[in-house]
Amino acid sequence: MTMRAASTFFWRRPYWYLALLLVPPLLWFGTVYLGSLFALLAQSFYAIDDFTAQIVREPTLATYRQLVTQPANVDIVLRTVSMAVAVTIACALIALPIATYMARHASGRMKALFYVGVMLPMWTSYLVKVYSWRLLLAKEGIVAWFLGKSGLSGLLDALLATPGIGGPSLSSSYIGMFLVFVYMWLPFMILPMAAALERVPGSLIQASADLGATPSQTFRNVVLPLAVPGIAAGSVFTFSLTLGDYIIPSVVGAPGYFIGMMVYVQQGTAGNIPLAAAFSVVPILLIFVYLSVARRFGAFDAL
Amino acid sequence: MTAAIEFRGVSRVYGEVRAVDDVSFTVEAGEFFAMLGPSGSGKTTCLRLVAGFDTPNQGQVLLDGADVSAVPPYERNVNTVFQDYALFPHMTVLENVAYGPRVRGVAKSDRQASAREMLELVQLGAQGDRRPAQLSGGQRQRVALARALINHPRVLLLDEPLGALDLKLREEMQIELKSLQKKLGITFVYVTHDQGEALSMADRVAVFNKGRIEQLAAPRELYLRPATAFVARFVGSANVADSALAQRMGLGAPFAIRAENIDVQAESVVPAPDTVSVPGAVVAVQFHGAASRWQVQLEGGEVWSALLPDSRRMNGLSVGSRVKLTWPRDAAVPLTPA
């Protein structure tokens, strides 16, 4: 059969064409991607036998009970969620002006420069960046040195003396971990936000001004509501990436465990795969709750 | 009485392009003023200068006698109906209309009451709870109108407001807009590239070309007495004889002659006295219902058109026939040389 005949064959049978188009990726997506996720979820309903350390393959909620009743586990969840919320808010606050400039004001070379600038850090290995930050934030590192030279070391000391988030140095405190998280995930907030802002038609902004709205009113009433789906998308990235990461908390920051580290430890050294699976369900649930709340508040009405 | 709008030697330059080039005119209060021209002629830039979306490089824009060249749009008592309507997609129709009072701090119940009133005015009283996406093009157009009128502007700017509507709806809206303007007594500035729209609605029309006003006159005057070849062609779809062609016809100065004033006759017919007659060949005949447009190529290669009642079938004349174009000498309108 020639190419032309094959084309005609599929043109006359649109369902065959659709099948050809979708079956291979759906097989991959369905089995490898979703399949492994469901296998993981199923594991969380098993439990480990305390004496034999063997997995008991019977449906039970014992693992979840362990997750929500042991204070150490609850602490891990709360710590991770607090960090994820803080990182998301910080990323949104930093990204908004940058994305606004990229989408609404910059043009031509300046715009290209900004997009490349935002994506440039992603061209480097993740591990290299994390370890670099550990050096930058170390007690003898360049940040401490710079603050010392500019007479601000008192400020740094006061910051590090803050109970809960402080520590002996930036690289061994939650403040330092927070800085690294914000640095790592910022592009994932800026890009969807800029894309959303770019889609807001210029005539809507003019119409708002024309009807008497000051620029700040226009931003609040028109630009922001229309950009919210993009902000929501960006925040899902920053939120879920923080929830699941185990490298940053183990390289930079205070010794407390995070969900990602817990998953890593439980399925690796501890061999408690059900508990690891239960921990990995937590971010999924949290994101689900977050999206439902966002939807209730009309975040996706403008889609 | 001060003019509602006055342009004094206004220029707006983008890089190398003089979008608006030393334009001066006044619009009287309560007037229906049209700005007519092809795309890129500067009419929309003039509108943006009135609205405040743009500022002039030179000259002054005055509203009610006050120089507003540096006043931002949100402090001008002027509202705009946008070409794409620019309705806020995340708000209901009522919220869209109530937006002006809302940003000016009017209480919720008051602004909703006046928004309902405006929606009644444009006959959309029942659609307040809908989203703009659920409305038809004509309905969106009315919402845009209600939203712009709720602030009781001194001047309403309309940027090709009917461009996206189909012909029948467009004609209905033309009549409605005109009667609305009479009823409210607001100054309308109407930007369009459709000469029919400008002629049928406006009290006065400014014809724009290459950033300048070619002619500013009442519609009838513009149609019957075009001042330049551009106006004659753009407004009246008239045939234009430049100096060279006029000289070849033995008529001297450049002139325009509208298609409906030209007759097509067989080559052998002797022209009546006081008529001008020019030989040519028929290249096409287009049927337009009430009339037919005859395209005739003159000896110099120019194609002129004559509009003849369809009832007057030409005996034996068809595409390819050698014919004479004739018109009464006094039907020709002298033009100022470009």
Side-chain angles (χ1 to χ4, degrees), chain A residues 101-299:
Chain A
Y101 175 75
M102 284 165 70
R104 301 229 66 94
H105 301 287
S107 61
R109 296 173 77 96
M110 206 53 185
K111 193 170 198 160
L113 194 72
F114 262 77
Y115 271 96
V116 170
V118 168
M119 284 189 281
L120 201 62
M122 296 204 244
W123 299 357
T124 318
S125 158
Y126 173 78
L127 281 173
V128 168
K129 285 186 289 182
V130 178
Y131 279 101
S132 313
W133 270 101
R134 181 153 94 166
L135 293 179
L136 292 176
L137 297 176
K139 203 170 187 64
E140 312 284 310
I142 192 166
V143 174
W145 171 82
F146 177 77
L147 289 176
K149 283 283 174 196
S150 46
L152 293 168
S153 48
L155 190 76
L156 179 64
D157 291 342
L159 204 62
L160 290 175
T162 316
I165 57 169
S169 72
L170 274 176
S171 64
S172 52
S173 69
Y174 286 125
I175 300 172
M177 194 193 291
F178 166 80
L179 289 176
V180 179
F181 268 128
V182 170
Y183 166 82
M184 285 292 180
W185 310 145
L186 193 57
F188 295 95
M189 182 66 97
I190 292 178
L191 294 177
M193 211 185 246
L197 287 168
E198 208 149 348
R199 283 212 314 263
V200 178
S203 67
L204 293 188
I205 290 161
Q206 285 183 355
S208 176
D210 185 72
L211 292 163
T214 59
S216 71
Q217 283 178 316
T218 298
F219 192 78
R220 263 182 292 128
N221 297 329
V222 178
V223 178
L224 208 53
L226 292 173
V228 156
I231 298 172
S235 65
V236 169
F237 284 133
T238 56
F239 193 64
S240 61
L241 286 169
T242 311
L243 286 183
D245 194 79
Y246 67 97
I247 293 177
I248 293 172
S250 45
V251 175
V252 184
Y257 271 94
F258 277 65
I259 289 178
M261 295 160 83
M262 216 38 200
V263 173
Y264 181 71
V265 168
Q266 290 299 334
Q267 67 88 37
T269 44
N272 191 345
I273 289 194
L275 187 59
F279 260 112
S280 62
V281 170
V282 175
I284 298 176
L285 278 180
L286 286 171
I287 295 285
F288 186 76
V289 169
Y290 174 74
L291 285 180
S292 323
V293 171
R295 201 184 141 194
R296 171 142 304 184
F297 280 101

Side-chain angles (χ1 to χ4, degrees), chain B residues 252-329:
Chain B
F255 66 93
I257 178 84
R258 288 194 311 281
E260 68 263 32
N261 288 342
I262 300 184
D263 199 359
V264 181
Q265 292 182 327
E267 216 179 4
S268 54
V269 174
V270 181
D274 272 341
T275 62
V276 181
S277 136
V278 177
V282 179
V283 290
V285 183
Q286 296 158 332
F287 177 61
H288 287 287
S292 287
R293 185 175 289 275
W294 290 62
Q295 306 279 11
V296 176
Q297 188 162 37
L298 308 186
E299 280 167 345
E302 304 89 349
V303 175
W304 277 25
S305 62
L307 209 58
L308 301 176
D310 192 58
S311 55
R312 264 202 49 203
R313 293 294 162 94
M314 309 301 287
N315 294 341
L317 291 185
S318 61
V319 174
S321 301
R322 304 281 316 162
V323 293
K324 262 184 197 152
L325 294 181
T326 65
W327 62 88
R329 198 169 286 274

